[in-house]
C-alpha cells in the first residue's frame, strides 16, 4: 500500500511538472493577448437588443420613456502579463442606467468572457458567468433608496453565484478562473458589487484570478499511472535488490 501511494504521488508530480512546462519564461507566467465577451440569456426585460458600439459588446433592455434603454456593456483589455494567483483586469463593465418603464427591466444576464492567450497549448478559452441586476424604482426620497444614491435611485450589479468560478484543463491539470470583483478605480480594491447611479453611464473594472485546482488522485487503472508506476516500481525493485545484496554481504 505504501508503494502504491508513492507511485500515485510520483505520477501526480510528473503530471504537474509537465503542465507547468507549458508556461513561458516564468513557471507561473501567463500572457493574455486580448479579451472579449458576449451577452446572452437575459431574465425578464422587454425589447432586448444586442449591439456592438466600437469595441464594446452591449445588451439593452426596457421600454424607452425618453432617455434611452438601460443595459450593460463589456469592453475587453489588450495584451498583459500576469501570474497564477495574481489578480488581473479582465475588462470594463458599463451599466447604462436609464429611467425606463416599470416592469421592463432585466433582472439577470449571462456574460461569456473569451480570453486569448499566447504561449499555451490552449490559445483561447471562454468562461461563462451571470450577473444579477437590481434596477430599483425611481420614486421617493434619496434617503429611502436601498443603496447609496446621488439621485433617486441607484441600481446594483452583483454576481449571481458567490464563487463565480469556471474550471478549465491544461496538460491534464485543472485550473479555475474566478471573478474577484468590481472596482471603479484602477487602484481600488475589488468589491463584490457595483453600485450604479441613476441617469448616467457608470463603469467599473472587472477583475479576475486564475488559480491551480488541487490535484486529483490518479486512478490505478489509468494508462498514465501504468507507465509511471512501471518505471517507479522498477526503481523500487532495484533499490530493494541492492539493499538485500548489502545485507547479505554483511553476513
Amino acid at each position: 500500500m505504501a508503494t502504491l501511494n508513492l507511485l500515485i504521488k510520483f505520477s501526480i508530480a510528473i503530471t504537474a511538472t509537465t503542465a507547468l512546462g507549458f508556461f513561458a519564461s516564468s513557471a507561473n507566467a501567463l500572457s493574455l493577448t486580448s479579451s472579449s465577451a458576449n451577452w446572452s440569456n437575459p431574465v425578464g426585460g422587454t425589447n432586448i437588443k444586442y449591439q456592438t458600439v466600437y469595441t464594446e459588446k452591449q445588451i439593452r433592455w426596457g421600454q424607452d420613456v425618453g432617455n434611452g434603454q438601460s443595459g450593460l456593456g463589456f469592453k475587453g483589455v489588450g495584451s498583459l502579463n500576469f501570474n497564477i494567483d495574481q489578480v488581473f483586469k479582465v475588462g470594463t463593465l458599463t451599466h447604462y442606467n436609464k429611467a425606463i418603464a416599470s416592469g421592463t427591466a432585466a433582472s439577470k444576464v449571462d456574460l461569456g468572457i473569451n480570453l486569448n492567450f499566447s504561449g499555451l497549448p490552449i490559445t483561447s478559452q471562454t468562461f461563462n458567468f451571470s450577473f444579477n441586476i437590481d434596477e430599483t424604482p425611481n420614486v421617493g426620497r434619496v434617503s429611502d433608496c436601498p443603496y447609496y444614491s446621488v439621485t433617486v435611485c441607484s441600481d446594483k450589479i452583483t454576481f449571481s453565484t458567490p464563487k463565480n468560478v469556471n474550471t478549465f484543463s491544461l496538460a491534464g491539470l485543472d485550473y479555475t478562473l474566478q471573478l474577484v470583483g468590481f472596482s471603479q478605480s484602477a487602484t481600488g480594491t475589488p468589491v463584490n458589487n457595483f453600485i450604479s447611479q441613476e441617469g448616467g453611464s457608470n463603469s467599473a473594472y472587472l477583475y479576475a484570478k486564475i488559480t491551480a485546482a488541487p490535484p486529483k488522485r490518479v486512478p490505478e487503472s489509468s494508462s498514465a499511472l501504468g507507465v509511471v508506476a512501471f518505471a517507479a516500481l522498477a526503481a523500487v525493485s532495484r533499490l530493494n535488490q541492492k539493499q538485500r545484496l548489502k545485507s547479505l554481504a554483511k553476513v
Side-chain angles (χ1 to χ4, degrees):
M1 187 65 181
T3 301
L4 178 59
N5 289 336
L6 174 64
L7 299 182
I8 291 172
K9 291 179 181 178
F10 184 55
S11 173
I12 292 173
I14 291 293
T15 305
T17 302
T18 302
L20 290 177
F22 284 114
F23 297 137
S25 53
S26 170
N28 291 320
L30 294 172
S31 294
L32 185 69
T33 57
S34 65
S35 67
S36 59
N38 285 292
W39 299 99
S40 62
N41 304 321
V43 176
T46 62
N47 306 316
I48 301 297
K49 181 191 299 181
Y50 299 94
Q51 60 189 28
T52 301
V53 180
Y54 297 105
T55 59
E56 184 184 65
K57 291 297 182 73
Q58 297 181 3
I59 179 173
R60 296 297 193 106
W61 58 74
Q63 182 181 332
D64 186 353
V65 293
N67 301 301
Q69 290 182 293
S70 285
L72 288 170
F74 180 90
K75 184 177 181 179
V77 297
S79 61
L80 57 88
N81 297 318
F82 58 93
N83 294 326
I84 296 292
D85 294 322
Q86 179 183 351
V87 175
F88 67 97
K89 184 172 75 172
V90 73
T92 301
L93 189 76
T94 298
H95 181 219
Y96 296 94
N97 194 348
K98 307 295 184 180
I100 55 178
S102 177
T104 66
S107 60
K108 183 178 179 180
V109 65
D110 292 346
L111 179 66
I113 300 176
N114 184 263
L115 300 184
N116 298 304
F117 297 100
S118 64
L120 292 179
I122 53 167
T123 57
S124 180
Q125 187 79 18
T126 299
F127 304 91
N128 298 301
F129 303 98
S130 296
F131 295 91
N132 293 325
I133 308 109
D134 184 9
E135 291 215 356
T136 59
N138 298 321
V139 294
R141 300 172 299 177
V142 169
S143 59
D144 295 329
C145 294
Y147 316 116
Y148 168 75
S149 300
V150 177
T151 59
V152 178
C153 261
S154 65
D155 300 336
K156 183 179 181 180
I157 313 296
T158 57
F159 304 124
S160 65
T161 56
K163 293 185 178 180
N164 316 299
V165 169
N166 277 201
T167 300
F168 65 104
S169 294
L170 177 62
L173 289 183
D174 289 336
Y175 293 84
T176 60
L177 175 76
Q178 178 180 11
L179 292 183
V180 175
F182 311 92
S183 176
Q184 292 183 272
S185 165
T187 58
T189 301
V191 295
N192 61 8
N193 60 71
F194 170 27
I195 303 301
S196 172
Q197 297 300 321
E198 183 65 31
S201 300
N202 306 293
S203 297
Y205 299 118
L206 187 61
Y207 287 92
K209 180 172 66 173
I210 291 177
T211 60
K216 296 179 180 178
R217 183 185 174 111
V218 181
E220 295 177 41
S221 59
S222 70
S223 58
L225 177 58
V227 173
V228 176
F230 180 80
L233 187 58
V236 172
S237 177
R238 287 195 297 271
L239 179 61
N240 290 338
Q241 185 176 14
K242 288 181 180 180
Q243 290 175 341
R244 286 197 300 271
L245 289 174
K246 287 182 179 180
S247 64
L248 289 173
K250 293 178 180 179
V251 176

